[in-house]
Amino acid sequence: MKERIVGVIPVLLVLWFLLSLFKPQTDASKASMVKRFWILKTHSEKKYSLVLCGDSRTYRGMSPEEMQNVLPDFSIYNFAYSSGSFSAFMLDQIEKRLDFDAPVKVLYLGITPYSLTPKAAKDGHIRQEMARKKEEVWEALYLDPVKQFFEPYQFDWDKPGDSVLYIQNYKATGWVATTKIPPDPGEAIPIYMRDFQDNTVSNTMIDSLVSRVERWTEKRVIVFAGRPPTTNAMINLENTISGFDESGFVRKFEQAGGIWLQTDVNDYQSFDGSHLDIPSAIKFSTDIASMIKAELIRRTH
Amino acid sequence: MLFNSISFFVFAAAFFLLFPLVKHRSDNLRWAFLVTASLIFYGWWKWEYVLIILVTALIDFSAALAMFRFPTARKWLLITSLSANLLVLFSFKYFAFFLHSVNHLLSWSAVSQTFPTDPPIYFAILPVGISFYTFQSMSYTIDVYQGKLRPTGNPLHFLSAICLFPHLVAGPIVRGRHILSQLAHTRKASELERWDGLKLVSIGFFRKVVLADNIAPFVNNAFTNDLSVNNSIYWWLVMIAFAFQIYFDFTGYSDIARGLAKWMGIHFHINFNHPYYARSLQDFWSRWHISLSTWFRDYVYISLGGSRCKPLRNHVNLWITMLLSGLWHGSSLTFIAWGALHALYLSIERVTKLPTIISNIPGGRLISIFIVFFLVVIAWVFFRSATLRESFIVLFHMFSFNSSVELGSLPWPDFAFTGLLFLAIGVILEASHFLRIDITKLLHPRVAFYAEVGQYSAILAMCVFFRGTSEQFIYFQF
């Protein structure tokens, strides 16, 4: 009988290992992974020579991995947040992630009209993540992966009516590769109509941003910016109700030393009328990286 | 602490590592260790609970000892002991219900006085397991009174019997004469007992965390959100699911308790014997929660005269016993209704002798099993429902057979399919016992060895990876 009791232990350990290895991702492990993603983005002290900043169009639309293929000499990180802004507070956080000791330092700012509004300037998402207690951060980073090993299997039953597939892959580089099947190009329009009610672009914020770009440029940081591609309908909406004057902004930005990167929205596809789907995000990342590379080569010559 | 919690695993590991070091030293040290560990286990919920169990236990210990030393005062000492236990039980469990019932009765009369039904703050939370350990303690003093048991003179010995953590919060209700003798001596568990203990704990966890906890969300959702769903098949599925949920939940706990006790070298009687194979309601009550049903049989039914009196009085004794049994489960009319329905079943059975008639017809064994199961499921409606109104709504749905909602059009959440899957698995496993299928007995002994090791390793692995949402044991609320 002793052999039976002792025999159970190794067999049990093997079974545990196998069952955990082949376990599909559960909602709990997804939630835990998402939590860890944002905690790492916020609490990590690692610095990068190329930092991507902005809101959800940037964190869903720009892949550091793809950019790395074009710019292998850079360490690249996507530091964008939900409803991320370019408030003074956010610009301070961006500076903390940039490696000022790197030989070439680059920032890319994904400028959307919403990111320049007072509502966005509350920076609710990053502040929420920064407010997490140390114990919670520690638990999410070190304890949750162990707990996930023992998470139970989850049964997902395909039922008639389950027709929408929403995919979100959280990458260690800060990119959230997202798509929705089938896509719904009109989904985001009413949301943005609501977001811009009594909440238009702030000229104060633009001036503050431009002033910071000047300071960065003086510190030999190369600051790129662009308007992340979306749908024509969304651009028309934003141009109409957000109070954003793109040409005026570009003029100020370039006067401060920044480099504006223009792309054609018709080259890309959105899954919800605001954000790029995965193939488009890869293409956009590659395109931006190529433009950055071209500019850097031009500067060295 | 719950058996299915990390804190319990840590506690149990520490207990079974330390217990061998103390159990051979001296009886007092062994009992003190058992009492201390058990009170830590119990006090993990709320440390105040420990005071309640200590006070009632020490009253019973003193009363029993005094009964032995002062035989002429036995009756009054028994009354004191029982009164103290019942007063504690009444205060925590039935006080609010009693006041609510009084207010209800007063509302029918001309009296305008009503009583506040919120219990005093200290009685607002029901101590876990109070119904179990008070009954355990009362059986001790009653047995001493009846001369069936000589009381122990050592309070640690007595406390170790009452407080022993495997059975403390949800039974089985162990009689003093059964456990005191086992605790009086040091006994090393044999290898076979250790293996049987491990098997019982594995099966217990499997029944509780895999079967019962996966079925529970389906049942809970039905009672929370779907009371308006008028579909007979749906509600029969829900109630059959509940019948097996409560069975797996409770028998799982009992198995874990028995398995842990075996590792200590202590033997608890079986508490469930496949009750859904019962061929009569009387048979059902000899298989379901055996420790409680025998307690009521020995200390209530037989004390009232049992079946040794005229038929009408016999039925009265039966009804009193079953109503008290219902009331034991909770201070609600639904539990009393549940007890009353079982009393009605038993009375009809005695008068008509239907089980004997049915068993004599071809296929009678199977027919009687289905009939008993059918009747028990109907009774479970009252047990599960929060109110009598809810019970009647569910029964109406079950018997309407005129569904206004198609089964396929219901918004079945994922946990409903998962619940039905594990219900099916549980039913198949129960059926395998019915069919007496034991594959290991068909194999060569050496192969059977590996098969058994693999079987129980797989059971333990499933307890981790196929466990449901963590649910408290149902019987903890009693």
Side-chain angles (χ1 to χ4, degrees), chain A residues 186-198:
Chain A
E187 185 185 337
I189 298 290
I191 298 169
Y192 277 81
M193 284 176 73
R194 215 172 38 241
D195 282 344
F196 285 118
Q197 260 180 10
D198 304 318

Side-chain angles (χ1 to χ4, degrees), chain A residues 254-294:
Chain A
E254 287 180 336
Q255 277 172 1
I259 301 145
W260 186 258
L261 300 178
Q262 189 68 42
T263 51
D264 185 350
V265 300
N266 296 309
D267 290 344
Y268 312 98
Q269 300 225 350
S270 166
F271 62 85
D272 66 348
S274 175
H275 306 99
L276 296 180
D277 62 20
I278 296 174
S280 293
I282 291 170
K283 181 180 185 327
F284 178 62
S285 305
T286 311
D287 291 345
I288 292 295
S290 301
M291 289 186 207
I292 290 173
K293 186 175 181 178

Side-chain angles (χ1 to χ4, degrees), chain B residues 27-29 31-32 58 61 65 69 140 151-160 180:
Chain B
D27 288 340
N28 281 332
L29 185 62
W31 295 328
L58 289 172
F61 169 76
L65 209 56
R69 288 185 186 163
Y140 173 75
T152 175
N154 189 310
L156 286 174
H157 186 199
F158 177 73
L159 282 171
S160 65
L180 283 168

Side-chain angles (χ1 to χ4, degrees), chain A residues 4 149-150 152-153 157 159, chain B residues 412 414 417-418 452 465 467:
Chain A
R4 280 177 163 80
F149 186 79
F150 297 104
Y153 274 62
W157 303 86
K159 299 183 293 293
Chain B
W412 293 89
D414 276 352
F417 292 107
T418 307
E452 213 179 7
F465 290 105
R467 67 187 190 274

Side-chain angles (χ1 to χ4, degrees), chain A residues 17-266:
Chain A
F17 176 73
L18 289 173
L19 282 170
S20 190
L21 194 66
F22 295 109
K23 184 171 59 181
Q25 202 173 40
T26 62
D27 286 344
S29 61
K30 275 181 208 162
S32 181
M33 178 197 62
V34 170
K35 191 177 175 183
R36 242 187 354 270
F37 172 89
W38 292 109
I39 283 178
L40 275 170
K41 183 176 278 201
T42 311
H43 296 273
S44 171
E45 290 177 358
K46 201 171 171 199
K47 294 180 189 294
Y48 300 85
S49 53
L50 197 164
V51 180
L52 312 170
C53 320
D55 58 16
S56 55
R57 282 190 200 158
T58 301
Y59 80 67
R60 293 190 195 278
M62 298 193 77
S63 163
E65 297 95 328
E66 298 302 324
M67 293 179 75
Q68 198 83 57
N69 294 333
V70 180
L71 299 165
D73 296 331
F74 284 85
S75 54
I76 308 173
Y77 192 72
N78 189 322
F79 190 63
Y81 283 81
S82 290
S83 301
S85 79
F86 292 101
S87 63
F89 168 79
M90 195 65 199
L91 297 176
D92 290 342
Q93 306 311 313
I94 290 167
E95 277 186 15
K96 287 178 186 170
R97 302 312 296 271
L98 186 64
D99 182 4
F100 279 90
D101 295 328
V104 183
K105 305 169 278 290
V106 175
L107 284 174
Y108 176 83
L109 313 180
I111 304 291
T112 64
Y114 187 79
S115 65
L116 298 169
T117 60
K119 243 191 205 169
K122 289 179 184 172
D123 295 316
H125 187 195
I126 187 171
R127 288 184 188 273
Q128 177 192 296
E129 292 299 330
M130 288 175 81
R132 287 190 192 274
K133 291 180 190 161
K134 276 188 189 158
E135 302 82 42
E136 196 181 346
V137 171
W138 188 90
E139 189 179 328
L141 293 179
Y142 303 111
L143 205 57
D144 280 356
V146 175
K147 279 158 66 174
Q148 264 171 58
F149 186 79
F150 297 104
E151 276 294 320
Y153 274 62
Q154 183 175 302
F155 294 86
D156 287 322
W157 303 86
D158 282 330
K159 299 183 293 293
D162 275 2
S163 52
V164 177
L165 186 62
Y166 187 45
I167 298 167
Q168 293 187 95
N169 290 328
Y170 290 78
K171 308 288 187 181
T173 54
W175 176 42
V176 182
T178 318
T179 201
K180 199 178 263 188
I181 301 167
D184 183 1
E187 185 185 337
I189 298 290
I191 298 169
Y192 277 81
M193 284 176 73
R194 215 172 38 241
D195 282 344
F196 285 118
Q197 260 180 10
D198 304 318
N199 182 46
T200 51
V201 167
S202 162
N203 287 321
T204 310
M205 213 155 125
I206 289 174
D207 292 339
S208 164
L209 170 61
V210 165
S211 168
R212 190 72 70 107
V213 170
E214 259 183 53
R215 283 218 313 264
W216 284 336
T217 307
E218 284 163 16
K219 288 182 184 175
R220 305 175 75 82
V221 178
I222 306 171
V223 185
F224 294 90
R227 193 167 174 183
T230 178
T231 59
N232 283 307
M234 181 60 74
I235 289 175
N236 290 338
L237 175 79
E238 287 176 340
N239 287 348
T240 307
I241 67 174
S242 73
F244 182 57
D245 172 16
E246 183 175 333
S247 55
F249 176 86
V250 170
R251 194 170 48 250
K252 287 183 184 177
F253 177 73
E254 287 180 336
Q255 277 172 1
I259 301 145
W260 186 258
L261 300 178
Q262 189 68 42
T263 51
D264 185 350
V265 300
N266 296 309

Side-chain angles (χ1 to χ4, degrees), chain A residues 1-5 7-8 11-12 15-16 19-20 23 149-153 155-157 159, chain B residues 191-192 194-195 198 412 414 417-418 421-422 449 452-454 457-458 460-461 464-467:
Chain A
M1 293 305 154
K2 201 173 194 171
E3 306 86 57
R4 280 177 163 80
I5 296 173
V8 162
V11 177
L12 183 60
L15 280 174
W16 272 358
L19 282 170
S20 190
K23 184 171 59 181
F149 186 79
F150 297 104
E151 276 294 320
Y153 274 62
F155 294 86
D156 287 322
W157 303 86
K159 299 183 293 293
Chain B
E191 294 300 336
L192 178 62
R194 285 184 187 275
W195 177 238
L198 180 66
W412 293 89
D414 276 352
F417 292 107
T418 307
L421 170 67
F422 283 96
F449 164 80
E452 213 179 7
V453 167
S457 305
L460 286 170
V464 174
F465 290 105
F466 293 98
R467 67 187 190 274

